[in-house]
């Protein structure tokens, strides 16, 4: 057994994977030993090329059961387990619980996922995004509000980012994020709004909706459309405000880049957790929320104008939120550099 190695368990969507990558990056920066175990049906292995990672492609329940044997070996050989939730974490956490191995949990949402709730009672610590999340746990003495760990981004200035995207330096720029799956409704309404706000520039990350979007709708010149963007520091730094779903990782990155945001929660998210994520940040004055049922061209247009005109006030509120160093604080705790406060 390697007493100084950390085992990171993740999988599912980017909302679970990105915090795991953030922790791996911090461990790597500190020259600490780690291993990532990733489970999921459509995992992009490219995201893990720079890490010590093992990917298991789960296609059905049987394959997940078979993976538990392999995962057991990793859990049994490593002293500290860090899990980011979703079904992908269940096998490792089960073995950790059964053999009394210490484990830590990272929850990205205000409403914790089922796996996090199941295993939270015996966790050494559960790292949470906001104070509101505490009420969903029976045990309270192992909860630590750190914010969600954010990946290490490339350092780039707003001017450099806009030069890369060929956007005039003094433009008003709106970033549109529909989540990794791409929101067909948000994408199309945003494009229609862009036609009306011709003095604004729009950066639209369309995700899996990319091809359909180009085939189904006219894209005006002030909209730059991308399927994905490898280095997200570029669109983040180039933008003044954003339109986004309200997944935990998306919110944490928008907060990290101090971007006032119009949040449109995905209405079919489990336990309506995106609504509660958005409510937490809107209540703190980081932006505004529009329910998808209320979303139309005029509503979004007015919201964009309002947030753009008042963006400095929203940014001041974001700056008061002291969780931009969540990645460092979590690893500090894991190393015993400081105790929970």
């Amino acid at each position: 057994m390697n007493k100084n190695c950390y085992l990171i368990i993740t999988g599912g969507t980017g909302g679970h994977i990105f915090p795991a990558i953030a922790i791996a990056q911090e461990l790597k920066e500190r020259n600490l030993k780690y291993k990532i175990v990733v489970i999921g049906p459509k995992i992009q292995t490219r995201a893990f090329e720079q890490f010590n990672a093992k990917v298991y492609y789960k296609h059905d329940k049987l394959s997940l059961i078979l993976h538990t044997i392999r995962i057991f070996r990793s859990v049994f050989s490593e002293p500290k387990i860090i899990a980011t939730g979703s079904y992908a974490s269940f096998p490792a956490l089960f073995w950790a619980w059964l053999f009394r191995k210490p484990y830590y949990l990272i929850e990205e949402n205000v409403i914790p996922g089922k796996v996090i709730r199941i295993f939270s009672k015996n966790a050494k610590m559960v790292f949470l995004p906001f104070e509101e999340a505490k009420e969903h746990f029976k045990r309270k003495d192992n909860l630590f509000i750190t914010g969600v760990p954010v990946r290490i981004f490339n350092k780039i200035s707003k001017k450099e980012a806009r030069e890369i995207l060929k956007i005039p330096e003094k433009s008003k720029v709106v970033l549109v994020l529909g989540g990794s799956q791409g929101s067909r409704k948000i994408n199309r309404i945003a494009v229609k709004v862009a036609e009306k706000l011709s003095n604004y520039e729009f950066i639209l990350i369309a995700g899996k909706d990319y091809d359909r979007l180009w085939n189904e709708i006219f894209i005006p010149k002030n909209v730059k459309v991308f399927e994905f963007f490898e280095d997200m520091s570029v669109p983040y730094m180039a933008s003044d405000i954003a339109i986004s779903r309200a997944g935990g990782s998306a919110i944490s990155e928008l907060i990290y880049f101090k971007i006032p945001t119009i949040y449109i929660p995905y209405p079919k998210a489990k336990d309506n957790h995106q609504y509660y994520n958005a409510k937490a940040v809107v209540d703190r004055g980081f932006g505004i929320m529009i329910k998808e049922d209320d979303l139309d061209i005029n509503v979004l247009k007015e919201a964009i104008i309002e947030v753009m005109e008042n963006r400095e006030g929203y940014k001041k509120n974001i700056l008061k939120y002291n969780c931009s160093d969540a990645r460092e604080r979590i690893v500090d705790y894991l190393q015993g550099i400081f105790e929970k406060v």
Side-chain angles (χ1 to χ4, degrees):
M1 180 187 292
N2 187 339
K3 294 183 179 180
N4 298 309
C5 189
Y6 297 84
L7 178 66
I8 304 169
I9 307 293
T10 191
T13 64
H16 298 289
I17 289 171
F18 291 153
I21 288 175
I23 295 301
Q25 286 175 323
E26 187 64 23
L27 292 170
K28 190 175 181 181
E29 286 269 306
R30 301 187 190 198
N31 293 316
L32 297 172
K33 293 183 179 180
Y34 69 90
K35 179 165 65 176
I36 304 178
V37 172
V38 193
I39 304 170
K42 297 178 181 180
I43 299 298
Q44 296 291 326
T45 54
R46 185 174 58 183
F48 297 96
E49 285 177 354
Q50 61 176 304
F51 303 108
N52 177 20
K54 176 64 179 176
V55 179
Y56 295 115
Y57 293 97
K58 183 209 81 73
H59 296 286
D60 50 45
K61 290 182 179 178
L62 177 60
S63 63
L64 180 60
I65 292 169
L66 293 174
H67 288 332
T68 62
I69 306 300
R70 302 185 181 99
I71 293 163
F72 162 73
R73 296 172 186 167
S74 295
V75 170
F76 197 72
S77 64
E78 309 299 349
K80 288 185 178 180
I81 293 94
I82 307 157
T84 62
S86 89
Y87 67 85
S89 297
F90 186 90
L93 291 173
F94 171 77
W95 291 120
W97 168 80
L98 188 64
F99 287 94
R100 302 295 187 265
K101 307 284 286 187
Y103 61 85
Y104 304 80
L105 305 174
I106 297 174
E107 176 54 62
E108 303 84 22
N109 301 297
V110 170
I111 306 290
K114 193 170 186 179
V115 170
I116 295 288
R117 290 200 301 267
I118 289 170
F119 289 99
S120 62
K121 182 180 177 182
N122 293 298
K124 288 290 183 180
M125 191 60 66
V126 184
F127 302 105
L128 300 175
F130 296 106
E131 194 72 27
E132 292 91 326
K134 283 185 174 181
E135 66 184 74
H136 301 285
F137 294 89
K138 291 181 179 179
R139 182 181 170 188
K140 308 293 184 183
D141 64 335
N142 66 340
L143 306 178
F144 191 0
I145 309 300
T146 58
V148 178
V150 172
R151 296 171 287 168
I152 296 174
F153 286 94
N154 292 324
K155 301 291 184 183
I156 186 172
S157 69
K158 184 177 287 288
K159 181 180 178 181
E160 290 170 329
R162 291 188 174 189
E163 285 176 352
I164 290 169
L165 294 168
K166 295 181 172 54
I167 293 174
E169 187 178 350
K170 296 189 182 297
S171 297
K172 296 177 179 178
V173 181
V174 182
L175 174 63
V176 184
L177 302 168
S180 59
Q181 300 303 309
S183 169
R184 186 173 184 179
K185 183 174 183 179
I186 292 174
N187 290 345
R188 281 152 185 73
I189 290 177
V191 169
K192 291 292 185 182
V193 171
E195 288 187 72
K196 295 178 178 292
L197 295 176
S198 57
N199 59 325
Y200 285 51
E201 296 285 334
F202 286 72
I203 304 166
L204 198 163
I205 312 295
K208 294 181 179 179
D209 185 44
Y210 179 83
D211 291 330
R212 288 184 306 177
L213 186 67
W214 277 106
N215 291 330
E216 295 176 6
I217 191 170
F218 168 73
I219 308 293
K221 290 182 179 179
N222 63 326
V223 180
K224 298 189 184 304
V225 184
F226 302 92
E227 183 174 4
F228 299 102
F229 213 99
E230 191 70 29
D231 181 6
M232 279 300 294
S233 61
V234 174
Y236 280 139
M237 284 302 300
S239 303
D240 294 306
I241 69 170
I243 300 163
S244 177
R245 288 300 197 193
S249 285
I251 287 177
S252 65
E253 291 183 359
L254 289 161
I255 291 172
Y256 181 82
F257 282 93
K258 312 295 187 292
I259 303 176
T261 300
I262 300 161
Y263 291 102
I264 305 170
Y266 179 52
K268 296 180 181 179
K270 190 171 180 59
D271 299 321
N272 202 18
H273 72 261
Q274 287 205 8
Y275 167 81
Y276 291 99
N277 288 346
K279 186 176 186 304
V281 289
V282 168
D283 286 350
R284 287 168 171 78
F286 298 175
I288 64 175
M289 174 168 44
I290 301 173
K291 292 182 180 179
E292 187 159 310
D293 288 345
D294 298 328
L295 183 66
D296 62 30
I297 295 171
N298 289 328
V299 168
L300 186 58
K301 177 188 171 185
E302 294 305 313
I304 289 171
I305 292 170
E306 190 277 318
V307 175
M308 186 68 78
E309 288 179 349
N310 297 287
R311 65 185 182 278
E312 292 306 319
Y314 290 117
K315 285 182 73 171
K316 285 181 181 178
N317 293 332
I318 296 171
L319 285 165
K320 295 175 186 175
Y321 181 66
N322 189 29
C323 285
S324 60
D325 60 346
R327 182 184 67 246
E328 296 95 327
R329 295 173 73 199
I330 290 172
V331 176
D332 280 349
Y333 184 86
L334 294 173
Q335 283 192 275
I337 291 173
F338 71 82
E339 296 297 319
K340 174 189 169 187
V341 292

